[in-house]
Amino acid sequence: ATVDYLNYDVLKDYGWELDDDDLFEKAARVDLDEVDFGRFEVEDDETLLEAAERSGHAWPFACRGGACANCAVALLEGELSQLVDHILSEDLLEQGIRLSCNGRPTTDELKVVYNIKHRPDLDDLRL
Ligand code: FES
């Protein structure tokens, strides 16, 4: 699967919102560092977090076991399987929030905003 990613911190810097329709188009127009915006491939046997790490990215995590939400991402396109999730509410799941530490792509293309742990409603969840 191919993953387009964007750092949540960038949204705050530019005053963008997660539900902006053209979020990734706007991100492509400004000159963002590869840390914050880009693309990598996820192999069949990898979680999203593992693929990010193999691609040289230091995405946030802590437990790697579906219990802390430090690794949370917002899916804007595509889907991740979620083997273990002890933390996300129905409401957050409906908003496309997933855990990168054990989520594996089930679609060929994904658009994800990572580093979402700093969103206030997720900050409250983190251990
Ligand atoms: Fe703790 Fe993913 S790292 S839930």
Side-chain angles (χ1 to χ4, degrees), residues 52-126:
E53 290 171 338
R54 181 179 48 74
S55 306
H57 300 291
W59 285 14
F61 69 90
C63 73
R64 286 182 181 267
C68 74
N70 278 284
C71 68
V73 299
L75 275 184
L76 302 190
E77 225 180 272
E79 188 51 279
L80 284 177
S81 68
Q82 201 74 89
L83 299 177
V84 187
D85 173 5
H86 300 296
I87 188 104
L88 297 179
S89 65
E90 278 302 313
D91 188 42
L92 288 170
L93 289 170
E94 264 169 38
Q95 293 175 50
I97 310 299
R98 299 288 184 274
L99 303 173
S100 70
C101 69
N102 63 70
R104 294 170 197 270
T106 57
T107 53
D108 287 341
E109 289 180 24
L110 292 95
K111 280 192 168 60
V112 305
V113 176
Y114 79 97
N115 214 8
I116 198 95
K117 64 176 187 169
H118 295 303
R119 222 172 79 148
D121 52 350
L122 285 162
D123 238 349
D124 295 343
L125 285 180
R126 286 193 294 132

